[in-house]
Amino acid sequence: MQVQLPKLNFPVSTFNLKEVDGRLFIFDQSRRKFVNLTPEEWVRQNCLVFLRDQKGFPMSLLAVEKSFRLNGKLLRYDIVAYSKNASPVLLVECKAPEVKISQKTFDQIAVYNLELKVPYLMVTNGLDHYCCVIDAENSRFHFLREIPDFENL
């Protein structure tokens, strides 16, 4: 199968793809199943592989598309990375490559973080990546030059 997927600002990786009834699917190593390959899913899968291969996050400590309730509303986060002691440390919001990262994107991840209370937030559309650390004591955040390695969280 010859498929032309958009080039993203992640290291090139190999993915397991399949076509079923004219629809393309990608194997998600975290969920251990094939999922519909949407533009956002393409970014999410590249980000997962980046976190695993480049930043040292064990796949077993990465959760994908889990639902939670906040103020009675059902929400779903893209990726949460957990520490060795099972506390959430990094929340990632993925957007399709054509979606510009905006204040609205940061507002969305901030709302999700009201529930998860992670120290690190990352927003990506596959082309632009932003990562910040939350300074809870002073109610501020600081943008980082790069996404921290798992061992440094």
Side-chain angles (χ1 to χ4, degrees):
M1 167 180 23
Q2 187 68 19
V3 178
Q4 187 71 0
L5 295 166
K7 181 164 175 24
L8 302 176
N9 190 13
F10 286 112
V12 175
S13 298
T14 303
F15 295 94
N16 188 358
L17 305 175
K18 73 176 182 178
E19 187 177 0
V20 177
D21 297 330
R23 290 179 42 207
L24 199 55
F25 292 82
I26 188 169
F27 188 77
D28 180 327
Q29 294 181 22
S30 175
R31 292 178 275 184
R32 297 188 177 128
K33 66 179 184 178
F34 280 93
V35 295
N36 190 27
L37 182 55
T38 63
E40 182 177 315
E41 191 65 48
W42 179 236
V43 172
R44 187 169 25 253
Q45 292 305 313
N46 273 272
C47 188
L48 279 169
V49 170
F50 168 77
L51 290 172
R52 182 193 68 200
D53 294 352
Q54 304 297 315
K55 295 299 175 177
F57 286 81
M59 192 61 75
S60 61
L61 296 179
L62 295 171
V64 178
E65 284 209 309
K66 299 289 184 186
S67 298
F68 65 97
R69 287 202 177 275
L70 183 64
N71 299 328
K73 188 174 181 180
L74 187 63
L75 302 172
R76 178 176 291 148
Y77 61 73
D78 283 310
I79 301 170
V80 171
Y82 291 87
S83 68
K84 291 176 186 172
N85 66 2
S87 60
V89 291
L90 172 68
L91 173 60
V92 182
E93 179 60 29
C94 299
K95 298 295 183 190
E98 65 272 7
V99 176
K100 297 279 187 215
I101 303 298
S102 67
Q103 184 61 50
K104 184 177 176 183
T105 312
F106 284 99
D107 292 346
Q108 178 183 2
I109 199 170
V111 167
Y112 290 3
N113 204 36
L114 292 173
E115 174 71 17
L116 295 167
K117 297 176 180 53
V118 302
Y120 293 89
L121 302 177
M122 177 182 171
V123 174
T124 181
N125 63 3
L127 304 173
D128 297 311
H129 320 297
Y130 300 94
C131 187
C132 62
V133 60
I134 307 295
D135 177 357
E137 187 176 310
N138 297 311
S139 298
R140 296 184 181 186
F141 59 91
H142 305 283
F143 282 94
L144 305 174
R145 291 187 187 269
E146 63 180 56
I147 294 116
D149 293 334
F150 176 73
E151 292 300 322
N152 295 329
L153 296 180

